[in-house]
Amino acid sequence: MTAPTTATDVNQPSLEHAPPAGRRMSWPVLLLVIAGALALTSIVRLITGANGITNVSQMSTALQLAVPIGLAGLGGLWAERAGVVNIGLEGMMILGTWFGAWAGFQWGPWTGVLVGIIGGCLGGLLHAIVTITFNVNHIVSGVAINILALGATRYLAPLAFEGHQGGSAKQSPPVDSLGHFSIPGLSGWLDSLNDQHWFFVSDIAGLLGGLVTDVSWLTLIAVALVPATWWILWRTPFGLRLRSCGENPIAAESLGVNVYKYKYLAVIISGGLAGLGGVFLSIVANPFYLEGQTSGRGYIGLAAMIFGNWMPGGLAIGAGLFGYTDSLNLRGGSANVHALLLLGALLLVAGAIWLVIRKKYVKAAITFVVGALVFAWYAGTNEVPNQVVSATPYVVTLVVLALSAQRLRMPKADGMQYRKGQGK
């Protein structure tokens, strides 16, 4: 007779076999760290005169650029919490961009949103069949899906878009807007406060103003998906069973969990979230599909998920960081990146001091030398080359992953092959 399944029972094996995850930063400490970083940014703004690094327009652009990265990261989180590595997020985003724009220009933007999600789900279903049913290597399957999605959309785009007004072999006709909103009164007040350029206060006003000014309805949905994902995966029996499949699928199976079902659901949902990120690019960020418009955001979303330690809150912070650095390309890029060199130097020096306190003298010396070199770069130049500005999001991705690697703890069975009954 099969033992009854409860949320507590299913979660227990993963807790017993999981390695120590280390101390987690509490919310008060996290908020204090964020406030300290914002205060340091404000000091840099006052020294350099680069007011654009924290103005409302910069933060609004950063939010718009962070949303598709965050949605791709959420997709990766769902799959990997169930034990399936999803390198195919980029391809699923590409499917979302194409299907969203294709349906959107014909039947309206909200239909485009729905069809784009379905397109991403199809990519997720393919990845699930290949990796879960046939036990193909997860990385190989993901890379194949990325190549297949790119080839399929290149083939379909001329058939679907040529002959329509504004359409071509590489671009769809324009899609109607989903609509934007600003909070009356609050948006204008924060904008005025930001224009005062006061220390810290104006920077907070710029940050908050970017969250309430000219915001798309799809942005609101995307932001709501972060706490929704946390609640489903960490506060419901469904989520506990799904996570047990990523920690110890054999133990989960012994308690009556249908591991195949939960893995399939997780990977299909993963594809749908990545597809929604693609829809955002082809309907909100740009009102049309354009070949190559994902620009590696699926991979950066995967990096944001890893930076966030496979947790929704950390993922959101990572997506915001990468979105902000990406926004430097669009608004005063060279001047802003040059100012951020000073911020980077100060952060490195602060990190060196922290390492000295922890008696890690070699690492502290290396960190201090790097900080000194960055400061010398800032002091010896008045601007940075445009190539550096364009590369900033990817450089930040690599640096952040390198600095956060030691505290990461992935699901124990992530990427492992599973066969029903293999524990007998």
Side-chain angles (χ1 to χ4, degrees):
M1 182 179 296
T2 303
T5 303
T6 65
T8 303
D9 292 334
V10 171
N11 195 44
Q12 191 63 34
S14 64
L15 295 177
E16 289 178 351
H17 295 276
R23 296 179 60 186
R24 287 184 182 176
M25 189 178 295
S26 63
W27 276 107
V29 173
L30 178 60
L31 293 175
L32 186 61
V33 170
I34 294 174
L38 193 59
L40 192 60
T41 304
S42 184
I43 292 173
V44 169
R45 177 180 60 80
L46 293 174
I47 293 174
T48 62
N51 295 317
I53 61 177
T54 57
N55 66 20
V56 172
S57 297
Q58 184 77 53
M59 295 303 179
S60 180
T61 302
L63 176 63
Q64 180 170 295
L65 292 172
V67 166
I69 295 173
L71 287 170
L74 278 179
L77 175 68
W78 273 85
E80 299 208 11
R81 278 295 177 179
V84 180
V85 175
N86 192 356
I87 298 292
L89 291 169
E90 178 76 6
M92 296 169 198
M93 286 190 77
I94 292 173
L95 293 174
T97 60
W98 191 90
F99 278 99
W102 170 71
F105 88 87
Q106 297 183 88
W107 303 299
W110 286 109
T111 303
V113 171
L114 179 61
V115 174
I117 293 173
I118 294 173
C121 286
L122 291 175
L125 177 61
L126 178 60
H127 188 50
I129 292 172
V130 172
T131 57
I132 300 170
T133 301
F134 294 101
N135 273 332
V136 173
N137 182 277
H138 298 190
I139 305 298
V140 172
S141 173
V143 172
I145 286 175
N146 292 338
I147 297 172
L148 179 62
L150 183 61
T153 52
R154 281 182 176 176
Y155 172 76
L156 292 173
L159 300 178
F161 301 142
E162 284 186 339
H164 295 276
Q165 185 176 3
S168 68
K170 295 186 177 182
Q171 179 177 318
S172 73
V175 182
D176 292 338
S177 173
L178 290 170
H180 295 74
F181 71 93
S182 299
I183 298 180
L186 180 61
S187 175
W189 178 69
L190 290 172
D191 194 17
S192 300
L193 193 60
N194 179 246
D195 288 338
Q196 301 300 318
H197 305 311
W198 293 333
F199 170 72
F200 195 62
V201 174
S202 292
D203 301 285
I204 293 179
L207 176 62
L208 297 178
L211 301 177
V212 299
T213 303
D214 200 26
V215 179
S216 166
W217 291 106
L218 197 56
T219 300
L220 190 63
I221 294 172
V223 171
L225 285 172
V226 175
T229 292
W230 173 83
W231 183 80
I232 292 171
L233 293 183
W234 274 268
R235 287 294 181 269
T236 67
F238 170 83
L240 291 172
R241 294 187 180 99
L242 186 147
R243 288 189 294 118
S244 73
C245 297
E247 296 289 348
N248 195 328
I250 297 174
E253 179 190 342
S254 70
L255 294 172
V257 175
N258 188 333
V259 177
Y260 281 162
K261 181 183 79 172
Y262 281 93
K263 284 180 176 286
Y264 261 88
L265 286 173
V267 179
I268 292 171
I269 292 171
S270 172
L273 288 168
L276 182 60
V279 168
F280 189 93
L281 291 173
S282 62
I283 293 182
V284 177
N286 297 295
F288 48 80
Y289 162 82
L290 185 65
E291 184 178 308
Q293 69 189 139
T294 55
S295 300
R297 287 180 175 86
Y299 300 112
I300 299 179
L302 196 64
M305 178 205 69
I306 296 172
F307 165 78
N309 207 10
W310 289 265
M311 296 292 291
L315 182 157
I317 294 173
L321 174 63
F322 299 140
Y324 177 76
T325 56
D326 200 11
S327 70
L328 297 175
N329 290 323
L330 302 179
R331 296 187 175 275
S334 181
N336 289 342
V337 171
H338 185 258
L340 291 179
L341 289 176
L342 178 58
L343 176 61
L346 293 175
L347 288 173
L348 287 168
V349 171
I353 295 172
W354 173 249
L355 289 171
V356 168
I357 294 174
R358 300 183 65 186
K359 299 182 179 180
K360 297 182 178 181
Y361 300 114
V362 175
K363 292 182 179 180
I366 295 173
T367 304
F368 181 81
V369 169
V370 174
L373 292 174
V374 173
F375 179 78
W377 185 7
Y378 165 78
T381 59
N382 293 321
E383 60 181 16
V384 294
N386 290 331
Q387 293 87 342
V388 175
V389 178
S390 300
T392 297
Y394 307 101
V395 173
V396 169
T397 301
L398 293 174
V399 171
V400 167
L401 287 179
L403 294 176
S404 62
Q406 294 181 351
R407 68 174 181 83
L408 300 178
R409 188 266 179 191
M410 67 191 299
K412 185 181 177 184
D414 194 15
M416 294 176 58
Q417 294 182 347
Y418 163 79
R419 285 287 188 187
K420 186 175 181 180
Q422 68 184 47
K424 295 181 180 180

